[in-house]
């Protein structure tokens, strides 16, 4: 005896059906009038003890900044929090809680103006000889990061310069000098002046 199979059609898409399609109805939203508040009074101040004190969230507010924190960036120098003023167009090298006048263009050839322009190579990259970083090679403990401020603008580091800084065991962060000084102040306060170093050129230097 052959088995009998029973099947039933649960759904059929019959496009030839003459039944009209069911269409949805769009309900137009009615704009609601917004009334202007009659007063700016928000009621009595809350007396709850669970309110957030945003001033207390500034965890670095009570920490003393480093003595070598940058107070002002000038076209021809810097003013530090400890009263030291670096002028005459010199840059500044901040390492180990000490401040040094930094003149990376002295390692270039030609007069001062030509030497300053030579710090940016023909590819638009900041490139200086290895002896410019001589102090960083002898300081101990070695900083973890070097913040590099390149005047009024930002230039990429040449592969040779970046490779040499990394070979000293330091990471490098390149910014314009204003942002570099703010970054140094923040990180040196947070991590300590021995962990963070900065080498910055005055904001009057604009590269080539």
């Amino acid at each position: 005896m052959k088995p009998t199979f029973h099947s039933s059609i649960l759904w059929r898409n019959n496009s030839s059906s003459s039944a009209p399609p069911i269409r949805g109805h769009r309900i137009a939203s009615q704009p609601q009038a917004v009334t202007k508040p009659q007063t700016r009074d928000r009621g009595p101040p809350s007396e709850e003890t669970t309110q957030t004190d945003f001033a207390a969230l500034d965890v670095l507010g009570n920490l003393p900044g480093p003595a070598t924190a940058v107070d002002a960036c000038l076209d021809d120098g810097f003013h530090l929090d400890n009263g030291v003023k670096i002028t005459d167009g010199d840059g500044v090298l901040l390492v180990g809680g000490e401040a040094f006048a930094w003149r990376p263009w002295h390692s270039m050839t030609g007069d001062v103006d030509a030497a300053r322009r030579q710090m940016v190579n023909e590819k638009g990259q900041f490139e200086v000889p290895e002896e410019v970083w001589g102090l960083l090679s002898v300081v101990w403990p070695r900083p973890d990061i070097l913040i590099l401020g390149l005047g009024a603008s930002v230039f990429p580091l040449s592969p040779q310069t970046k490779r040499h800084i990394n070979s000293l065991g330091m990471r490098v962060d390149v910014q314009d000098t204003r942002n570099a000084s703010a970054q140094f102040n923040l990180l040196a306060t947070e991590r300590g002046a021995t962990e963070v170093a900065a080498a910055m050129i005055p904001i009057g230097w604009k590269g080539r």
Side-chain angles (χ1 to χ4, degrees):
M1 180 177 180
K2 296 183 179 180
T4 303
F5 296 95
H6 299 277
S7 63
S8 60
I9 299 176
L10 300 180
W11 179 82
R12 173 180 292 172
N13 183 12
N14 190 357
S15 59
S16 62
S17 176
S18 60
I22 300 176
R23 300 181 181 274
H25 297 280
R26 178 178 296 177
I27 301 176
S29 59
Q30 298 294 332
Q32 298 180 355
V34 179
T35 59
K36 184 178 180 181
Q38 300 297 325
T39 177
R40 295 180 179 271
D41 184 19
R42 296 295 183 264
S46 175
E47 297 181 356
E48 295 182 4
T49 59
T50 58
Q51 295 185 88
T52 301
D53 184 4
F54 290 100
L57 297 179
D58 185 8
V59 296
L60 301 179
N62 296 326
L63 292 179
T68 55
V70 180
D71 182 56
C73 297
L74 309 177
D75 284 346
D76 61 345
F78 300 87
H79 290 178
L80 306 183
D81 276 0
N82 57 7
V84 173
K85 296 182 179 180
I86 299 173
T87 57
D88 297 330
D90 290 346
V92 63
L93 181 61
L94 306 173
V95 57
E98 302 289 340
F100 304 89
W102 189 51
R103 307 178 186 93
W105 50 87
H106 279 192
S107 61
M108 316 301 287
T109 59
D111 58 24
V112 175
D113 292 336
R116 288 174 184 265
R117 291 192 297 269
Q118 291 177 22
M119 292 191 297
V120 179
N121 63 21
E122 63 277 2
K123 296 181 180 180
Q125 302 168 335
F126 183 79
E127 182 175 5
V128 290
E130 294 182 0
E131 57 263 25
V132 169
W133 316 105
L135 180 61
L136 297 176
S137 64
V138 298
V139 68
W140 191 263
R142 196 71 54 79
D144 177 63
I145 184 172
L146 172 67
I147 301 173
L148 193 56
L150 299 182
S153 304
V154 179
F155 299 93
L157 286 183
S158 70
Q160 295 83 355
T161 298
K162 184 176 182 180
R163 188 181 307 114
H164 178 69
I165 296 175
N166 292 152
S167 70
L168 298 176
M170 293 181 295
R171 296 175 293 143
V172 60
D173 183 11
V174 183
Q175 302 185 34
D176 64 273
T177 294
R178 291 186 188 276
N179 287 318
S181 61
Q183 184 79 343
F184 171 79
N185 291 349
L186 176 64
L187 292 182
T189 301
E190 182 184 50
R191 302 174 56 181
T194 59
E195 292 288 329
V196 184
M200 295 178 288
I201 301 173
I203 59 177
W205 185 71
K206 297 178 174 58
R208 305 185 69 175

